[in-house]
Amino acid sequence: MRKNLQWKGSLFLAVMAVTAVLPLAPKADASDSAAVTMTVTAVGSKNSPPPPVKKEDVELYRAKARTQVADWKGGVPLHLAILIDDSLESNVALQWNDLKAFMMAQPATTYIAVAYARNGTAMVAQDFTADHALAAKALRMPLGNSMAFTSPYLALLDWIKRWPDSNDRKSILLFSSGIDYFRGPYDPVDPDVDFTIEQAQKKNINIWSIYAPDAGHRARGNYVQFLAQGFLTRVAGESGAESFYIGFLPAVSFKPYFDELQQHLNNQYLLTFVGNAGKKGKFEGVRLATELPGVEFLAAPQAFVPAYK
């Protein structure tokens, strides 16, 4: 019995000695993690206003595994950019009175900018301002000619890369036919569309779009417009927003679109979670759910987890 105890004591001392000289196993470090924030829009059934959503009402899934919601807050200031495709038929300006009313109805915490998409760039007519009347003065009739035919997606990318860094909500409202003349209107695959989605997700920018015919639509068949509306729908949906259109004809009035968009903007939240993407950063698929009756979420289907510093 005594020998057995001596053997166990010797083994214990040996283990302790080895442990003392071996390096410690690496542990997860909070500095290896990065906070990710994405905008989430709560939508009620049949376009009715949703009830207030609390943090405990939200279920977040990453790669099919439920993840803790680190933060959830509403009432966050909004940067809203109006981007008008200069190739649109000039009579779309008949809708600008309703657009001005929409801009003037924004709360004081909304900063509005206006730009025109031309030659693949966003020509800024009014930078972000809390003076909504000043922003509305920047609205004008689109050029409506072939000189403006280019790519609305290149213009989106141009503005996104110049977007001011902030922790506020960020949205772009694009008026366009969706046709990419730079890549070719008959090509069903557009890498600029994919890159626009990627960059919008990285910067957490919702891209809402309203379809309007451009000046060259009478010379085309429905196939081109079908592809273009598909591009607009992809950019909007995969950035956590919506695309508004009724067929290939111009809407009689944009006001119903503005009313729906206003309701969406009134029910937005910033969701934050903590992820670990190593030293390079990566995109992760995300999904949101809730048990609140009649409530759904608009959100990007993936978020970019930045590299830790």
Side-chain angles (χ1 to χ4, degrees):
M1 180 71 177
R2 183 178 181 81
K3 289 183 178 179
N4 189 37
L5 289 174
Q6 288 177 338
W7 179 84
K8 289 184 176 180
S10 299
L11 179 62
F12 174 76
L13 291 174
V15 171
M16 291 295 292
V18 172
T19 303
V21 298
L22 286 177
L24 293 176
K27 295 182 180 180
D29 190 344
S31 64
D32 292 353
S33 301
V36 180
T37 299
M38 56 190 302
T39 303
V40 179
T41 304
V43 180
S45 61
K46 298 180 180 179
N47 291 326
S48 61
V53 181
K54 300 178 182 177
K55 178 181 175 181
E56 55 267 27
D57 298 323
V58 183
E59 299 174 7
L60 171 64
Y61 296 87
R62 295 165 53 205
K64 299 182 180 180
R66 186 165 179 179
T67 301
Q68 182 179 2
V69 176
D71 194 19
W72 174 266
K73 58 185 177 182
V76 181
L78 169 68
H79 280 78
L80 174 63
I82 310 295
L83 181 59
I84 300 168
D85 195 328
D86 241 345
S87 70
L88 296 183
E89 285 190 331
S90 57
N91 61 9
V92 73
L94 296 174
Q95 306 277 5
W96 285 176
N97 284 337
D98 287 335
L99 176 55
K100 288 179 181 178
F102 168 75
M103 295 166 70
M104 296 299 295
Q106 299 309 305
T109 53
T110 296
Y111 300 87
I112 302 177
V114 178
Y116 294 84
R118 187 167 73 252
N119 299 327
T121 60
M123 312 292 288
V124 178
Q126 172 59 55
D127 207 347
F128 287 103
T129 176
D131 186 340
H132 302 158
L134 180 63
K137 288 181 180 178
L139 295 177
R140 61 163 173 77
M141 185 181 298
L143 296 179
N145 58 46
S146 59
M147 296 297 293
F149 287 173
T150 178
S151 167
Y153 311 107
L154 291 178
L156 282 169
L157 286 168
D158 177 58
W159 210 356
I160 288 173
K161 72 181 181 183
R162 293 185 278 138
W163 198 280
D165 291 329
S166 76
N167 294 321
D168 297 336
R169 292 177 295 145
K170 298 180 281 287
S171 280
I172 295 176
L173 175 55
L174 170 67
F175 295 85
S176 177
S177 68
I179 295 176
D180 187 341
Y181 288 95
F182 179 79
R183 291 288 179 181
Y186 296 95
D187 193 342
V189 179
D190 192 325
D192 293 329
V193 170
D194 295 333
F195 194 50
T196 298
I197 292 169
E198 180 181 291
Q199 294 304 303
Q201 291 172 343
K202 275 189 174 183
K203 287 208 170 185
N204 187 34
I205 299 176
N206 302 139
I207 302 177
W208 313 85
S209 65
I210 292 180
Y211 169 80
D214 62 36
H217 78 101
R218 292 184 179 87
R220 294 189 304 268
N222 289 343
Y223 175 72
V224 173
Q225 294 178 356
F226 173 79
L227 289 178
Q229 288 184 349
F231 290 154
L232 292 176
T233 299
R234 276 198 61 210
V235 170
E238 294 185 41
S239 68
E242 283 190 341
S243 183
F244 301 99
Y245 60 90
I246 302 176
F248 302 136
L249 298 175
V252 175
S253 172
F254 287 166
K255 187 177 184 305
Y257 300 156
F258 297 141
D259 291 343
E260 184 174 345
L261 176 56
Q262 185 65 70
Q263 183 165 287
H264 290 331
L265 296 179
N266 290 344
N267 292 281
Q268 286 191 319
Y269 302 84
L270 287 184
L271 178 150
T272 301
F273 67 87
V274 177
N276 188 320
K279 296 181 179 180
K280 294 184 178 180
K282 65 178 181 179
F283 284 98
E284 286 190 358
V286 293
R287 181 175 64 86
L288 293 166
T290 182
E291 293 185 358
L292 289 175
V295 175
E296 296 180 352
F297 294 129
L298 285 176
Q302 65 177 9
F304 183 74
V305 182
Y308 67 82
K309 298 180 180 180

